[in-house]
Structures are given as structure tokens and as C-alpha cells.
């Protein structure tokens, strides 16, 4: 059927040969005789082409040739793809089968014992032949670790060297290879055989030729060729049918008759004062007359364009695409209201599509008010979806609902939520639940409604209680005639009515099966009471708000849990020690709980360890991982290992944590952490520092000079491939050591060096106490929107005075023990610690005697008086004593037991020169600087 177009399409010019005088048709006999002559001279092949409607010059013939070419190309591509895929599948199947046979045989019972036997060939050759025959592989070879064959399908090759690379299998890694062997192209797999201790004791190799694997090409190629022949046949038949259908649809009309009919139709369509719009089944415009262009403001080139590009009213465009029948339906198109009729064009065998007639209905303009109201409600719902739920704060979400609904929908809006919802808990069901007013908004601020913050329990007869009980919205069109609502509070309800509030809708906030509270919509300035349509709109508004409130409630609960967990894992106070004056600050991120932590850990010998770390990620998982790392640091510190070794142990722990597979629905695994660990000795004034991917510490010298300690960065925990390194810094008395996490100095828009320079500038501003330093740093560097946790630790150094330290060098002679004991007794009397003289002498006697007996080189004894009395005996041996219980018949072994009984704590610390065995005894009263 011809496609009708608009006036912009010029009609076809008539050829002179097609014109005939009007009223003088061709004579029948003359026409018949001429046709007969043409049929006689026409060749048989031309007659077949005429029947099929095919000609290379015709559109149908060209389509046919194009279809044949496309089908042939598709067939060629399919054959190529089939051959390539078959080759790939065959190779992969050969790899899988050879590897599976080799691994199965390598792990079979008895193979390790057979390899260890005197004659492995006698045991393994029959089994290998049986497995080879069962599995279909071409060979199954067992060798020792030197590559000497124990089995082979050809027996004269047993005992000879295996051909192939066995270095990877000897290292414990299976390998598969594709090689060209004497029996053709094959795939062989070589796998190791492990004994019970995991040692490689032999190799198993299995191979199979690729030609053995069944090839699907031979089975699929005939099917593909049959499909190609069928496609060519269908293309030929289809083209012939299309040609014949075109001839039938023109009803035998010639070009002149068809042109004349087109002109008549075109004149009628563009002359009527009713818009006509025809759309094809593909959603493109086939015809639009002048009136349709005017009514819908269509562009001049509208024919052939999709409906989506024309800017038609949404409902009209949807109906045109669907083809649904419409009778006198009114649509708004700009300032016009159009009465529209839509019908399908495929009735009685017509072409598929849709025709619409449009009429400007000025008599229907009275309906404009309702259309505007519908548009306003749609706009209100759209605004609500954009404005409600912008944060995960329960109160803020309720306030957003009041701002959206008032004054466009209601004059006043109030939101009451259950007490548990504000705390992130599940609300208690029932209409008598205790609610708290969390949001209120309206056209004025002096409405006599319950104020924000007041606790409310609605009476059972009120609309609010009914909505909470039934879960449906309650409408009170006239509050003056609603005694059930007035029963809540007679005095207040009378004030509300006198104020002018006359209508109410109470809608429960329901989300995921739980009732969170109730939203109340009130009207006073708008004279019309609420109607059923208003109730439906209020339910849609509150449904979206309830989901946002529930999301905020769940976030509040999870955030509170994470904060509680984090606070429980962080230090609750600083331990008592005299080496450092310490102050700290910890600020969690605004968006969630992170994994930053810090610690101050007293060490033996009046030393103190300072720790600052940061776990990657946020939430409960990060906080829990932080707790595990902090506990691990305490445990490793109790062993008194150097900072670099401690970070190495932490790295192993983080690796184990990362390898733990999280359960379904859990947060993703932590991918690493950073840490800085420093130990300060007030006796030597030296600070040993090591860090794993953490920002460097800042050192503020007593003269105000600020520098960042040059500590090798090292990779973050969990990524270390090399040992960590340490740096030793000499700190004068009164120096400040500043440790921090990256949340203090890092910014997404700046380089970290900018943050470090700002920190340097703040620290250089005069002398401050550690607490004042913390406050000054946060006041200057705290970002406006804190995205990460911040941990800050400031320590000012102290030193042990010379009169608090006593040391002696002891010769390797048992007679020297008495001299040292006497010197120690005099020093304790000088310090006023006569009460500890006996136990101290006993402890030192045992430790010095052990050092003389089992160690070599110089032996030194040192006493430190701080909060505790520390006794240290150092020697050059790396062997530490172990506490044990001596038997009743043993002559020795009780000395260290006595040391452990008399000392509060004791232990061993390794040094580059050897070891130090130390003990601590509590002093009363505690020594203070």
C-alpha cells in the first residue's frame, strides 16, 4: 500500500505515454490482441521472472540478491567460528582430561609407598596400563624426582629420561604443555606426587592426542549447510511473495490512477479543520495534516520522525504507541485542550498503525482546573521524591516531609514518631504507642498544635490511633463535627478549631511491615476540606517518607553500634608512667565509624611505646579489625620485641585477616592497615621508630624547631614484601613527639605535603603543653566536612636523672657476686629502699650467677628507680632462661622460680649485643617527677 505523505511531498509527474483521453478507454479487442502478441514473443525464463516478480533492476530482485549475499556471509562466518571453537574445545578438553588423570593417579592410595619400594615399576606399570586403557589417554608415565621413568606404554622406554620440563612440578606446581609428539599433536600434563610431609617424591605425566577428542564440527557442519540451503529457499520464496503482495495491494492501478487518487486524498486531508495524525507500527509519523501541525506545534519535517522526538503530551504519545482505541478523550497540549479519537488502521486488512483525529475543544476548557490540579499533584510527588531522604537523619527526614507538603498540599503538617525510632530501635506495635513530635511546619508559627519535642499518647478513638491500629489513612473532613478527635484533649482541640483548622488526614508511617509513627495534614487557610483524592495523595507522600525514615533509623542503629564498639576498643585512659607527658584527641568521621586507633604502652626499664594506626575502610568490620590489631600490639609489646619485628608480626596478622572469607552479606574484607610504633627510653633519651605506610611523626625540639622524622615508610600492613626498618632519634628533654593519622593532613583536593606544612606551621607557634598542642592543631587543621577519623597523640619527653640510675660492670667470676650485692645494698639505702634490699639481693644474685655460668663476655648490672625499681642484668648470650618446676631430687632449677615469686614482673629483652634480663618491683609510694 502506498505511504501517504504531507504537502511537502510533490506528486509524481505523469508520463505522456500514460495519458489517455477521458471517456475513451482502450478498445478491448485491440488490447487483447496486443497482449497476446506480447505473450507469444516472451521467452519462458522471462515468464518465470514475471510470475515471481523478480528482476535485477526491480527492488524485489535487489533485495533478493542482498539476502543471498548476507546468508552466504553468515554461513561462512558460522563455519569459521565452528572450526575455531571446535579446535579450542578439543585442546581444552585434552588439557582437562590429561591433568585430571595425572592428578588422580598422583593422589591415588599406595603410589607414595610404591615409589619408595625397591621395584616401583613392578607395582606401578600394571596400574598405569589399566588407568590408561580405562581413561583413554595415550600414555601415563611415572618418574622419580630425577625424571627417570618407572612406567611407559612401551616397556623399552622404562628407565630412560623423561622428555619435557619438570622444573615446575618439582617445585610443587602442576604444568600442562601442548607439544608435537611422535604420535601427533598432543597435550601432556605433569603433576607432582607429595608424601605425608608435603615433599615431592615423584612425578606423574599423562598425555592424550588432540585428535582423540571428539570434534563437533563433523556433526554440526551438515546441519549448518542444511540451514543455509533452507535460508536461501526461504529468501527466494519471501521475495516472490512480497512482489506479488505489492501487485495485489495496488489493485492493478497504474501510475496515473494512483497519482490522481493521492492528489484527491491529499487535498481532503489538508482542507478539513480537524487534525489527522497517522503513526506506523514502528512509532514513526507517516502523515500529519496542516491542522494537526497547528494544534500540536509540530515541526515541518515531522513525517518519518519518531514520536519521542516531537514533544507530544506523555499520555497522548503513549496511547499512539500502544494503538489503544480512544473516543473523545481530552488531552492538554500547551494552552489547548484537544478532544482526541484514536483508532487502529489495520482493520479489514489495512496496514498496521494508528490514526488519531484531534479537535480543539473550547467547550471543555472548564476541565482545565482539574487538569492543573492533577499536574500539581504529580509535581508534588516528584518534589517529594527529590527532597525527602537527602540525609540519613530521622529528624531531618521528618522535617523534609513537612517542608514539601506545606503549604502546597496542607496548611500545617506534623510528624510524630515512636521513641524507639529516634534511637534506631524497632517501634513497639499498637495504637497506644508513645510518640514524640519531631517535626512541625506550616504557613504560620502560632498554631495551637502540640509543639516539637512533646511526648504524645493518642486516645484510642482519635484518627491517629485508628491509623496506627489499622495501618490505613484516616480522613476527618470537618474537625468541628468529629467528637472522636476532640476526645484527645478538649481544651486544645477547641483552640485548634477556633484557630481555623478545620480538616485533618492522619497517615501512619509504615515501612517493611513496621509502624514508625503518624503524619498529620491540617487545613485552615484553604477553605476546601480534604477529600478522598487528597487522602490517596497523602498516602503516597507518607509512603516515600516512611521508607526514608526507616532507612535513617537503621543507619542510626548501625552507627550507634559501631560507635559503641569503637569506643569500647579504644583506650579509656592513659597508663601511669613518668617517661612522657601525653595528651590525645580522637574524632570519629561524620559519615561513619572508621578504624583509627592509638595507644600508650609502658615497657620494662621505664620505657614507653607510642602507637598510632589506621585500618582501611569504615563500619563495624573496620572497628572490629582495629580492636584485633590493638590487642595484637599489646601482646607483641609484652614480648618487648623491637619496633620493626613488631610490625612484621602485625603484617602477618593482617594477611590472615584478609584471607578470611566473609560470610554472605558481610562487609567486604579489610585490604590493609597502616601503623607507626615508637619506643622512648628516658634513660638514654633515644626513640626508636618504625612505620608501615603511615605518615611520619613530627618532632618539636625545645628551641621551637619542627622537623618530620626521616623514618623509612615501608608498605602498609598486609602488603609487606620486605622487612620493616627502624630509625633511632635522640630527643632532648622537653621535646614533643607528635603522632597522627592521615585524616588530619590529607585532603582529596590537595597534596599531602600541603597538609604536612600546615601542621608544621601550627606546631612551630610557641611553647605549648601537649594538651594545648592538641587543641591548637585541631582548631587549625580540622576540616569542615570530616570524611575520615582523626587520631592525634602528643608526648613531651622527660628523662631519668643521674641519681635515679646506677650500673656496675661485673667480672665473669663467682666471687664478684658478693661485691655487687654489697654495692646494690648501699645504693638502695641511699635511695631509702632498705625494705627491698633482701629481695633485690636475692634476685640479682640469681641473675648474675646464671650470667656468669652460661654467658660469655662482659656482664652489666643496672638499677632504675622510677615508679618501680627495675633490675637489669645484661650479657652477650642470646639464650634466655626459662621458668620451670624443679623436681624434689634436682640440685638446681629453683632460682628463676624464686625470682618470679619475689618480682612483680620479669622478662627478657634482646639487644644487638645479646640480651637483658629484667625484673620490676613495686615502690610505695610511687615515685613522681
Amino acid at each position: 500500500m502506498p505511504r501517504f505523505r504531507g504537502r511537502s511531498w510533490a506528486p509524481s509527474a505523469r508520463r505522456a505515454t500514460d495519458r489517455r483521453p477521458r471517456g475513451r478507454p482502450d478498445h478491448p479487442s485491440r488490447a487483447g490482441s496486443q497482449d497476446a502478441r506480447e505473450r507469444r514473443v516472451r521467452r519462458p525464463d522471462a515468464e518465470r521472472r514475471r510470475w515471481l516478480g523478480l528482476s535485477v533492476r526491480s527492488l524485489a530482485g535487489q533485495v533478493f540478491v542482498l539476502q543471498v549475499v548476507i546468508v552466504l556471509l553468515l554461513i561462512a562466518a558460522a563455519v569459521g567460528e565452528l572450526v575455531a571453537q571446535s579446535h579450542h574445545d578439543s585442546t581444552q578438553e585434552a588439557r582437562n582430561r590429561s591433568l585430571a588423570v595425572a592428578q588422580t593417579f598422583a593422589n591415588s592410595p599406595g603410589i607414595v609407598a610404591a615409589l619408595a619400594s625397591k621395584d616401583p615399576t613392578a607395582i606401578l606399570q600394571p596400574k598405569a596400563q589399566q588407568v590408561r586403557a580405562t581413561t583413554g589417554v595415550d600414555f601415563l608415565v611415572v618418574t622419580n624426582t630425577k625424571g627417570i621413568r618407572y612406567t611407559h606404554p612401551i616397556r623399552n622406554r622404562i628407565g630412560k629420561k623423561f622428555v619435557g620440563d619438570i622444573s615446575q612440578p618439582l617445585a610443587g606446581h602442576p604444568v600442562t604443555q601442548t607439544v608435537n609428539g611422535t604420535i601427533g599433536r598432543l597435550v601432556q600434563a605433569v603433576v607432582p606426587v607429595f608424601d605425608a610431609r608435603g615433599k615431592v617424591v615423584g612425578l606423574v605425566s599423562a598425555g592424550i592426542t588432540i585428535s582423540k577428542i571428539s570434534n563437533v564440527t563433523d556433526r554440526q557442519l551438515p546441519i549448518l549447510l542444511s540451514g543455509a540451503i533452507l535460508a536461501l529457499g526461504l529468501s527466494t520464496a519471501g521475495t516472490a511473495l512480497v512482489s506479488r503482495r505489492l501487485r495485489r495491494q495496488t489493485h492493478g492501478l497504474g501510475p496515473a490512477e494512483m497519482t490522481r487518487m493521492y492528489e484527491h486524498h491529499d487535498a481532503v486531508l489538508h482542507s478539513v479543520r480537524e487534525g489527522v495524525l497517522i503513526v506506523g507500527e514502528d512509532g514513526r509519523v507517516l502523515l500529519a495534516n496542516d491542522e494537526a501541525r497547528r494544534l500540536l506545534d509540530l515541526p515541518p519535517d515531522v513525517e518519518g520522525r519518531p514520536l519521542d522526538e516531537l514533544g507530544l503530551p506523555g499520555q497522548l504519545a503513549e496511547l499512539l504507541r500502544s494503538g489503544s482505541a480512544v473516543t473523545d478523550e481530552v488531552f492538554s497540549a500547551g494552552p489547548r485542550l484537544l478532544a482526541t479519537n484514536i483508532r487502529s488502521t489495520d482493520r479489514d486488512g489495512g496496514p498496521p498503525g494508528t490514526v488519531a483525529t484531534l479537535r480543539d475543544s473550547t467547550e471543555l476548557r472548564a476541565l482545565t482546573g482539574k487538569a492543573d490540579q492533577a499536574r500539581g499533584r504529580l509535581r508534588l510527588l516528584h518534589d517529594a521524591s527529590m527532597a525527602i531522604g537527602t540525609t540519613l537523619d530521622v529528624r531531618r527526614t521528618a522535617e523534609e516531609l513537612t517542608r514539601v507538603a506545606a503549604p502546597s498540599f496542607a496548611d500545617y503538617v506534623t510528624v510524630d514518631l515512636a521513641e524507639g525510632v529516634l534511637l534506631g530501635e524497632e517501634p513497639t506495635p499498637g495504637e497506644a504507642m508513645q510518640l514524640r513530635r519531631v517535626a512541625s511546619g506550616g504557613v504560620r508559627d502560632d498554631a495551637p498544635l502540640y509543639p516539637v519535642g512533646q511526648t504524645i499518647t493518642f486516645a484510642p478513638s482519635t484518627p491517629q490511633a485508628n491509623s496506627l491500629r489499622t495501618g490505613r489513612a484516616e480522613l476527618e473532613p470537618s474537625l468541628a463535627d468529629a467528637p472522636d478527635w476532640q476526645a484527645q484533649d478538649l481544651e486544645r482541640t477547641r483552640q485548634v478549631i477556633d484557630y481555623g483548622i478545620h480538616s485533618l488526614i492522619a497517615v501512619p508511617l509504615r515501612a517493611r511491615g513496621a509502624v514508625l509513627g503518624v503524619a498529620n495534614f491540617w487545613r485552615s487557610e484553604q477553605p476546601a476540606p480534604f477529600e478522598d483524592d487528597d487522602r490517596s495523595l497523602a498516602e503516597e507522600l507518607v509512603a516515600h517518607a516512611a521508607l526514608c525514615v526507616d532507612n535513617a533509623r537503621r543507619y542510626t542503629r548501625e552507627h550507634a553500634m559501631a560507635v559503641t564498639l569503637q569506643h569500647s576498643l579504644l583506650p579509656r585512659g592513659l597508663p601511669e608512667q613518668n617517661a612522657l607527658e601525653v595528651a590525645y584527641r580522637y574524632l570519629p568521621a561524620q559519615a561513619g565509624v572508621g578504624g583509627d586507633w592509638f595507644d600508650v604502652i609502658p615497657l620494662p626499664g621505664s620505657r614507653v611505646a607510642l602507637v598510632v594506626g589506621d585500618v582501611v575502610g569504615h563500619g563495624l568490620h573496620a572497628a572490629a579489625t582495629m580492636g584485633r590489631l590493638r590487642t595484637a600490639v599489646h601482646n607483641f609489646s609484652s614480648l618487648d620485641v623491637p619496633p620493626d619485628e613488631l610490625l612484621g608480626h602485625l603484617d602477618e596478622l593482617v594477611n590472615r585477616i584478609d584471607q578470611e572469607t566473609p560470610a554472605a552479606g558481610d562487609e567486604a574484607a579489610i585490604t590493609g592497615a597502616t601503623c607507626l610504633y615508637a619506643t622512648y627510653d628516658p634513660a638514654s633519651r633515644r626513640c626508636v621508630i618504625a612505620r608501615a605506610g603511615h605518615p611520619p611523626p613530627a618532632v618539636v625540639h625545645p628551641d621551637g624547631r619542627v622537623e618530620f622524622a626521616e623514618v623509612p615508610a615501608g608498605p602498609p600492613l598486609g602488603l609487606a614484601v620486605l622487612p620493616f626498618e627502624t630509625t633511632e632519634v635522640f630527643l632532648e628533654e622537653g621535646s614533643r613527639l607528635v603522632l597522627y593519622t592521615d585524616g588530619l593532613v590529607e585532603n582529596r583536593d590537595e597534596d599531602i605535603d600541603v597538609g604536612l606544612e600546615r601542621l608544621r606551621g601550627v606546631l612551630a607557634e610557641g611553647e605549648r603543653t601537649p594538651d594545648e598542642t592538641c587543641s591548637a592543631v585541631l582548631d587549625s587543621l580540622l576540616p569542615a566536612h570530616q570524611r575520615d577519623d582523626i587520631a592525634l597523640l602528643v608526648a613531651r619527653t622527660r628523662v631519668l636523672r643521674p641519681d635515679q640510675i646506677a650500673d656496675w660492670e661485673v667480672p665473669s667470676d663467682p666471687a664478684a657476686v658478693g661485691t655487687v650485692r654489697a654495692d646494690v645494698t648501699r645504693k638502695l639505702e641511699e635511695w631509702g629502699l632498705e625494705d627491698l634490699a633482701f629481695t633485690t639481693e636475692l634476685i640479682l644474685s640469681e641473675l648474675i650467677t646464671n650470667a656468669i655460668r652460661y654467658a660469655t663476655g662482659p656482664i652489666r648490672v643496672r638499677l632504675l628507680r622510677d615508679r618501680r625499681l627495675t633490675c637489669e642484668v645484661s650479657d652477650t648470650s642470646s639464650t634466655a632462661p626459662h621458668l620451670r618446676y624443679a623436681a624434689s631430687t634436682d640440685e638446681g632449677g629453683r632460682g628463676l622460680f624464686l625470682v618470679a615469686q619475689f618480682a612483680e614482673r620479669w622478662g627478657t629483652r634482646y639487644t644487638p649485643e645479646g640480651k637483658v634480663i629484667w625484673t620490676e618491683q613495686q615502690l610505695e609510694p610511687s615515685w613522681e617527677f
Side-chain angles (χ1 to χ4, degrees):
M1 182 175 180
R3 297 177 66 186
F4 295 107
R5 302 288 182 180
R7 287 187 182 275
S8 59
W9 286 28
S12 303
R14 301 179 185 177
R15 293 180 296 177
T17 56
D18 294 333
R19 297 179 179 176
R20 296 183 177 90
R22 294 187 179 181
R24 297 178 60 188
D26 293 340
H27 196 278
S29 61
R30 185 182 305 169
S33 61
Q34 184 177 357
D35 292 341
R37 287 194 299 272
E38 291 177 355
R39 284 194 297 271
R40 283 196 299 271
V41 301
R42 187 176 293 118
R43 292 177 298 178
D45 56 342
E47 184 70 16
R48 286 195 299 272
R49 287 197 301 271
R50 179 179 179 274
W51 181 83
L52 293 173
L54 298 177
S55 174
V56 178
R57 296 182 178 179
S58 67
L59 177 62
Q62 294 173 0
V63 170
F64 173 72
V65 173
L66 179 61
Q67 288 178 340
V68 171
V69 173
I70 292 175
V71 170
L72 291 177
L73 289 177
L74 291 176
I75 293 172
V79 171
E81 173 64 16
L82 181 61
V83 172
Q85 184 65 32
S86 175
H87 177 72
H88 175 269
D89 292 344
S90 299
T91 303
Q92 188 63 33
E93 175 64 21
R95 289 176 179 271
N96 295 340
R97 185 178 299 181
S98 61
L99 182 60
V101 172
Q103 288 181 334
T104 303
F105 195 83
N107 295 318
S108 62
I111 187 170
V112 175
L115 289 172
S117 65
K118 295 182 179 180
D119 189 1
T121 300
I123 301 174
L124 297 176
Q125 176 68 9
K127 294 183 179 180
Q129 291 296 95
Q130 181 181 1
V131 171
R132 184 178 68 85
T134 304
T135 59
V137 296
D138 291 295
F139 64 87
L140 183 62
V141 176
V142 182
T143 72
N144 60 12
T145 55
K146 297 181 180 179
I148 303 303
R149 299 189 184 99
Y150 289 148
T151 67
H152 197 278
I154 304 174
R155 295 193 63 86
N156 61 6
R157 296 186 183 181
I158 296 175
K160 295 182 179 180
K161 186 74 173 182
F162 177 80
V163 180
D165 184 14
I166 63 174
S167 58
Q168 294 188 35
L170 288 177
H173 306 291
V175 63
T176 58
Q177 305 171 349
T178 302
V179 298
N180 293 318
T182 57
I183 58 175
R185 188 170 179 79
L186 57 86
V187 175
Q188 69 178 9
V190 184
V191 300
V193 179
F194 297 95
D195 61 7
R197 295 175 297 176
K199 181 181 177 182
V200 177
V201 298
L203 304 176
V204 176
S205 175
I208 185 172
T209 57
I210 298 177
S211 60
K212 268 197 172 185
I213 305 300
S214 61
N215 197 328
V216 298
T217 305
D218 297 337
R219 299 194 302 270
Q220 295 184 357
L221 189 58
I223 299 175
L224 183 63
L225 294 178
S226 301
I229 296 173
L230 178 61
L232 287 173
L234 292 176
S235 300
T236 304
T239 306
L241 292 176
V242 169
S243 178
R244 294 185 65 185
R245 181 172 179 81
L246 288 175
R247 293 173 62 86
R248 286 199 305 269
Q249 288 181 344
T250 59
H251 301 288
L253 295 178
E257 289 81 3
M258 293 182 63
T259 301
R260 186 162 50 255
M261 181 178 66
Y262 173 82
E263 292 175 347
H264 290 165
H265 288 181
D266 186 75
V268 172
L269 287 173
H270 292 283
S271 298
V272 297
R273 299 304 299 169
E274 186 167 344
V276 177
L277 189 68
I278 301 178
V279 181
E281 68 174 335
D282 60 349
R284 296 181 178 270
V285 176
L286 300 179
L287 183 142
N289 67 351
D290 292 346
E291 185 67 3
R293 295 168 187 265
R294 184 184 69 84
L295 295 176
L296 297 176
D297 295 327
L298 299 177
D301 57 341
V302 64
E303 283 86 1
R305 295 180 59 178
L307 289 173
D308 298 333
E309 299 179 2
L310 303 180
L312 299 178
Q315 191 175 2
L316 175 60
E318 184 65 26
L319 289 174
L320 288 173
R321 281 192 293 266
S322 65
S324 303
V326 172
T327 302
D328 290 336
E329 188 74 25
V330 178
F331 299 99
S332 176
R336 302 183 182 92
L337 289 177
L338 304 180
T340 306
N341 292 274
I342 300 177
R343 294 291 185 275
S344 176
T345 59
D346 59 355
R347 295 183 178 180
D348 301 327
T354 303
V355 58
T357 60
L358 311 169
R359 184 174 69 255
D360 191 1
S361 303
T362 55
E363 68 277 8
L364 298 178
R365 292 190 182 275
L367 299 176
T368 304
K370 290 189 176 181
D372 292 340
Q373 184 181 10
R375 285 199 304 272
R377 294 185 174 184
L378 290 175
R379 189 181 303 110
L380 177 62
L381 292 175
H382 176 267
D383 294 343
S385 65
M386 300 297 293
I388 300 176
T390 58
T391 66
L392 288 173
D393 183 82
V394 174
R395 298 178 185 272
R396 179 72 177 274
T397 304
E399 293 171 356
E400 290 170 347
L401 173 61
T402 63
R403 286 196 294 268
V404 168
S408 58
F409 174 65
D411 296 313
Y412 297 94
V413 180
T414 59
V415 180
D416 308 321
L417 297 178
E419 291 282 358
V421 174
L422 301 177
L423 302 176
E425 302 172 354
E426 291 285 347
T428 303
E431 69 277 7
M433 68 170 60
Q434 190 176 51
L435 306 178
R436 182 178 296 276
R437 180 144 297 175
V438 297
S440 179
V443 294
R444 295 168 60 181
D445 297 332
D446 58 347
L449 300 171
Y450 287 121
V452 174
Q454 182 165 343
T455 302
I456 308 170
T457 301
F458 289 103
S461 62
T462 59
Q464 291 88 345
N466 290 333
S467 67
L468 293 173
R469 182 177 59 255
T470 63
R472 296 189 299 270
E474 294 289 330
L475 169 63
E476 284 291 350
S478 176
L479 294 178
D481 301 328
D484 292 339
W485 169 74
Q486 297 176 13
Q488 172 68 23
D489 186 340
L490 294 178
E491 181 179 356
R492 183 177 293 275
T493 55
R494 176 52 55 190
Q495 294 175 359
V496 170
I497 295 174
D498 294 342
Y499 185 80
I501 298 177
H502 58 82
S503 189
L504 164 68
I505 296 179
V507 185
L509 282 89
R510 291 177 55 88
R512 300 180 179 92
V515 179
L516 309 177
V518 62
N520 306 288
F521 301 89
W522 316 81
R523 275 188 179 175
S524 62
E525 304 292 333
Q526 302 180 42
F530 285 119
E531 300 176 349
D532 288 337
D533 291 343
D534 298 318
R535 174 163 50 187
S536 301
L537 177 60
E539 287 178 335
E540 294 187 38
L541 282 173
V542 174
H544 175 70
L547 185 60
C548 296
V549 168
D550 190 58
N551 290 338
R553 177 190 67 82
R554 290 169 177 262
Y555 172 78
T556 300
R557 180 184 60 188
E558 294 178 2
H559 182 72
M561 293 171 58
V563 169
T564 302
L565 174 62
Q566 185 187 44
H567 287 176
S568 66
L569 296 175
L570 288 172
R572 299 186 180 181
L574 297 178
E576 294 182 356
Q577 47 82 32
N578 291 334
L580 296 169
E581 179 186 356
V582 182
Y584 67 91
R585 296 289 190 275
Y586 185 87
L587 299 178
Q590 296 177 356
V593 175
D596 292 15
W597 91 93
F598 66 93
D599 226 326
V600 178
I601 306 172
L603 299 176
S606 299
R607 296 174 301 126
V608 176
L610 301 177
V611 190
V612 172
D614 183 3
V615 175
V616 175
H618 290 82
L620 289 173
H621 200 152
T625 304
M626 175 268 289
R628 296 173 68 175
L629 294 181
R630 179 170 177 258
T631 303
V633 169
H634 273 269
N635 293 335
F636 295 141
S637 297
S638 65
L639 300 177
D640 208 357
V641 297
D644 54 342
E645 293 185 20
L646 185 140
L647 292 183
H649 293 309
L650 283 183
D651 179 70
E652 295 179 3
L653 175 61
V654 173
N655 276 325
R656 289 196 298 271
I657 294 175
D658 287 344
Q659 292 170 5
E660 294 176 359
T661 303
D666 285 357
E667 195 176 340
I670 301 299
T671 58
T674 65
C675 183
L676 187 148
Y677 186 85
T679 61
Y680 172 70
D681 187 353
S684 63
R685 306 180 187 179
R686 297 189 180 277
C687 182
V688 182
I689 309 172
R691 63 187 179 115
H694 204 82
V699 179
V700 185
H701 295 279
D703 58 1
R705 181 168 45 92
V706 180
E707 62 180 3
F708 291 96
E710 296 182 358
V711 183
L717 299 176
L719 304 176
V721 294
L722 296 174
F724 294 97
E725 300 181 50
T726 60
T727 296
E728 190 175 274
V729 180
F730 181 80
L731 299 178
E732 299 180 5
E733 184 176 7
S735 299
R736 283 174 289 167
L737 187 64
V738 181
L739 283 64
Y740 52 90
T741 56
D742 55 3
L744 181 67
V745 295
E746 280 192 353
N747 191 309
R748 295 181 181 177
D749 303 326
E750 298 177 342
D751 189 78
I752 189 173
D753 292 337
V754 178
L756 293 176
E757 287 303 317
R758 283 202 298 266
L759 177 61
R760 184 198 300 271
V762 176
L763 295 176
E765 295 175 355
E767 178 67 21
R768 298 188 181 99
T769 65
D771 190 73
E772 292 172 347
T773 303
C774 290
S775 300
V777 169
L778 292 182
D779 291 342
S780 301
L781 302 183
L782 186 64
H785 301 285
Q786 184 184 340
R787 298 185 177 93
D788 196 3
D789 292 5
I790 294 177
L792 176 63
L793 193 64
V794 179
R796 183 161 59 184
T797 61
R798 296 169 175 165
V799 299
L800 291 178
R801 297 190 302 271
D803 60 352
Q804 295 178 252
I805 305 173
D807 59 351
W808 298 271
E809 185 170 349
V810 183
S812 297
D813 183 4
V817 177
T819 304
V820 175
R821 292 175 57 181
D823 293 341
V824 168
T825 301
R826 284 193 296 270
K827 177 57 67 174
L828 293 178
E829 291 176 353
E830 180 183 337
W831 285 344
L833 301 177
E834 297 86 352
D835 295 342
L836 298 179
F838 175 76
T839 56
T840 305
E841 289 180 11
L842 180 62
I843 291 173
L844 288 177
S845 296
E846 177 61 29
L847 297 182
I848 295 173
T849 302
N850 285 342
I852 294 174
R853 179 178 301 174
Y854 300 109
T856 60
I859 301 172
R860 297 194 63 85
V861 174
R862 187 172 72 161
L863 295 182
L864 301 176
R865 178 178 179 177
D866 193 11
R867 290 181 177 271
R868 293 174 178 84
L869 177 63
T870 304
C871 301
E872 296 180 348
V873 177
S874 59
D875 55 54
T876 58
S877 172
S878 60
T879 302
H882 295 281
L883 181 65
R884 66 185 182 88
Y885 290 94
S888 58
T889 58
D890 291 343
E891 296 183 359
R894 298 176 178 82
L896 196 59
F897 177 78
L898 295 176
V899 170
Q901 293 297 315
F902 285 111
E904 183 182 0
R905 291 196 309 162
W906 75 280
T908 304
R909 178 172 71 253
Y910 292 96
T911 64
E913 298 79 17
K915 68 175 182 299
V916 176
I917 302 177
W918 54 268
T919 65
E920 288 183 351
Q921 301 175 74
Q922 185 67 39
L923 298 183
E924 293 183 2
S926 298
W927 178 268
E928 298 289 348
F929 280 94

